[in-house]
Amino acid sequence: MTKPLDTAALPHLPNSTARRLFMSRHGLLQTPKGPGKGADLLEVIEDLGFVQLDSINTVARAHHMILAARRPAYREKFLKALYEKDGHLFEHWTHDASVIPIRFYPHWKLKFARDAEKLKSRWRNWRRDGFEEKFDAVLKRIEAHGPVTSGDVGEDEERKSRGWWDWHPSKTALEYLWRSGQLAVCRRDGFQKVYDLSDRVIPQPQLAALPAPQETVSWACQEALTRLGFATSGEIAAFFDIVTPLEAKSWCAQELAAGRIIEVQVGCGEGHAPRRSFAFPEVLAEADALDAATSRLRILSPFDPMLRDRKRAERLFGFHYRIEVFVPEPKRKYGYYVFPVLEGERLVGRIDIKAFRAEDRLQVTAFWPEQGIRSSKGRLAKLDGELARMARFAGVSRVDYTDGWLRTPLS
């Protein structure tokens, strides 16, 4: 009979300390400052590990909001320069399309190899037939004539529409060749990917490097745990989505046996049991030494790295969030694209805002505070200040409030 593990004997990270550590690792504990461009911006992205890209432009696209939340001086052209001009970033998949520091590129080769097998089988079943037959033609066209978009290839192929979702065989071939590493995205025109041969885009040192699979597994697990502060093996695997859950579990067991990581008991919010997690030994002292968060109020992207893992955010902050973009309008609880609101170390509410650039205004439709959060004068003044910053960032000059915008908490 297996003896039950004594979790009470594990070092304990209280909920408040765990939240503070997690926020610190995600650049949201400190007062946001810095130029938000060049080397400073690259450091932000490296600290986060990657920044998810998203097309929805209700106020600004998710990647721009993520960076502006940490660097108020950030502007969209700074990311474009870092990515397309300076070549310090590349675009690929983590859990979704993301910009990633170029020095991480060699470790994505394991993902390229795995995706090459996985996607070929999967896409045969749900993409249009014949995409594999287009590989040579697509590669030869790019080699001879330069970068292309999906609209530049497959002119003679049947299309149901001109939308990005119309995956005709040559577009599917483009995406497959990118996901498997033969092509790279060299830039975005608007939000449309422009593909080129990888050896024209990726610097030679990163292109030539080929880490052994186990080296990449160790790298990905260590880097994920560093950025999460504490995590289960499943959370480690999901962070970059390079390694399998089994590989992450084996890495944790090996590092634990060697004394390079420890197990901790992480306190969670009301209604959630403590969670057994892994951490580096120095994390406990680091967490205890952290100062309290700035009291600044920030409007976050729904895809902010601190909120990407919805279940983790709910356990730590007691904040239940689901994006309702794909929920039919009559069934939405809050709205199409509602932004979480962070104040200090608490997620205090969510807000429905949209920039109408042609009308030069940011429209505030509704703000719902969380249960137990008062809409005090001080809090509303901070919200007004953040909305003014959001308006400037979105390129509009005024903030308009819909009648009845200040709501009561929803259960």
Side-chain angles (χ1 to χ4, degrees):
M1 182 176 179
T2 303
K3 183 179 179 181
L5 294 171
D6 183 10
T7 55
L10 296 177
H12 181 58
L13 268 178
N15 179 243
S16 59
T17 307
R19 277 187 285 141
R20 194 170 289 179
L21 175 65
F22 189 51
M23 288 180 62
S24 176
R25 294 294 174 96
H26 285 75
L28 290 173
L29 192 70
Q30 306 81 0
T31 300
K33 59 183 180 180
K37 60 182 177 180
D40 178 64
L41 183 61
L42 180 59
E43 183 178 1
V44 172
I45 298 171
E46 289 197 337
D47 286 346
L48 293 174
F50 59 88
V51 173
Q52 182 177 340
L53 300 169
D54 191 73
S55 63
I56 297 175
N57 198 14
T58 305
V59 174
R61 290 192 169 108
H63 39 292
H64 299 308
M65 288 195 67
I66 289 166
L67 296 170
R70 292 150 176 87
R71 294 292 188 271
Y74 167 80
R75 294 297 179 264
E76 295 183 8
K77 62 183 180 180
F78 299 156
L79 180 62
K80 189 176 183 69
L82 200 66
Y83 176 17
E84 299 177 10
K85 178 185 174 185
D86 301 331
H88 291 310
L89 305 169
F90 74 101
E91 181 175 336
H92 217 270
W93 276 69
T94 52
H95 65 288
D96 211 320
S98 302
V99 286
I100 306 159
I102 193 67
R103 68 183 183 89
F104 296 176
Y105 183 87
H107 293 294
W108 254 253
K109 292 179 183 180
L110 180 61
K111 190 172 183 67
F112 298 160
R114 290 175 172 179
D115 282 356
E117 294 303 316
K118 179 175 61 179
L119 295 180
K120 190 176 286 187
S121 173
R122 183 187 302 168
W123 286 0
R124 282 175 187 148
N125 296 327
W126 69 279
R127 301 297 188 199
R128 289 201 219 165
D129 293 337
F131 74 93
E132 294 165 85
E133 299 166 12
K134 302 295 182 180
F135 290 166
D136 285 345
V138 166
L139 288 170
K140 286 176 181 177
R141 173 165 182 165
I142 295 172
E143 184 176 14
H145 301 290
V148 301
T149 68
S150 60
D152 297 327
V153 297
E155 298 96 326
D156 59 341
E157 296 168 20
E158 179 190 359
R159 302 182 188 221
K160 296 178 182 177
S161 72
R162 301 297 299 183
W164 63 266
W165 55 86
D166 189 4
W167 284 53
H168 53 82
S170 290
K171 174 180 169 57
T172 307
L174 273 177
E175 283 286 304
Y176 177 85
L177 292 167
W178 170 56
R179 292 286 296 272
S180 60
Q182 297 177 69
L183 297 179
V185 175
C186 59
R187 67 179 187 274
R188 292 244 182 181
D189 287 346
F191 202 69
Q192 188 173 35
K193 292 195 288 288
V194 181
Y195 306 83
D196 201 352
L197 301 178
S198 292
D199 59 11
R200 291 176 179 168
V201 178
I202 306 302
Q204 186 57 34
Q206 284 79 31
L207 195 67
L210 185 60
Q214 191 52 49
E215 183 182 347
T216 289
V217 169
S218 296
W219 175 88
C221 291
Q222 180 161 323
E223 295 292 315
L225 185 55
T226 296
R227 285 161 179 80
L228 291 168
F230 50 87
T232 64
S233 62
E235 290 168 338
I236 289 170
F239 186 81
F240 287 121
D241 196 27
I242 294 176
V243 305
T244 67
L246 182 58
E247 286 170 333
K249 187 175 182 179
S250 297
W251 180 85
C252 289
Q254 174 186 308
E255 297 299 292
L256 185 65
R260 289 187 289 266
I261 64 173
I262 60 173
E263 287 187 286
V264 295
Q265 195 78 346
V266 179
C268 296
E270 186 177 349
H272 297 276
R275 192 165 177 85
R276 190 185 185 110
S277 299
F278 298 101
F280 292 110
E282 61 272 17
V283 155
L284 297 172
E286 176 194 340
D288 286 339
L290 288 171
D291 293 329
T294 170
S295 63
R296 182 172 178 142
L297 185 146
R298 300 184 234 203
I299 296 172
L300 301 180
S301 163
F303 298 106
D304 194 280
M306 198 182 80
L307 302 168
R308 180 189 67 80
D309 185 336
R310 308 291 192 214
K311 292 181 179 179
R312 184 179 174 102
E314 186 169 354
R315 286 194 305 270
L316 286 177
F317 296 93
F319 188 75
H320 177 84
Y321 182 85
R322 298 292 181 270
I323 195 163
E324 296 182 288
V325 168
F326 300 111
V327 176
E329 187 172 359
K331 295 184 178 181
R332 289 176 189 150
K333 183 175 181 179
Y334 293 101
Y336 173 76
Y337 198 78
V338 173
F339 299 86
V341 179
L342 175 71
E343 183 185 17
E345 297 171 19
R346 300 179 68 183
L347 287 155
V348 296
R350 58 201 85 202
I351 191 163
D352 186 355
I353 54 177
K354 183 176 181 178
F356 292 88
R357 291 174 179 82
E359 301 168 24
D360 195 30
R361 65 188 177 90
L362 181 73
Q363 186 67 42
V364 182
T365 300
F367 170 68
W368 296 270
E370 289 293 281
Q371 293 286 347
I373 298 295
R374 294 192 311 111
S375 298
S376 64
K377 288 184 179 179
R379 180 165 286 126
L380 292 179
K382 287 195 283 187
L383 180 59
D384 284 343
E386 177 70 352
L387 288 166
R389 285 190 288 271
M390 283 281 108
R392 290 193 296 272
F393 186 66
V396 298
S397 65
R398 74 177 194 272
V399 179
D400 288 348
Y401 294 83
T402 300
D403 289 343
W405 70 275
L406 186 56
R407 307 291 180 86
T408 56
L410 297 180
S411 57

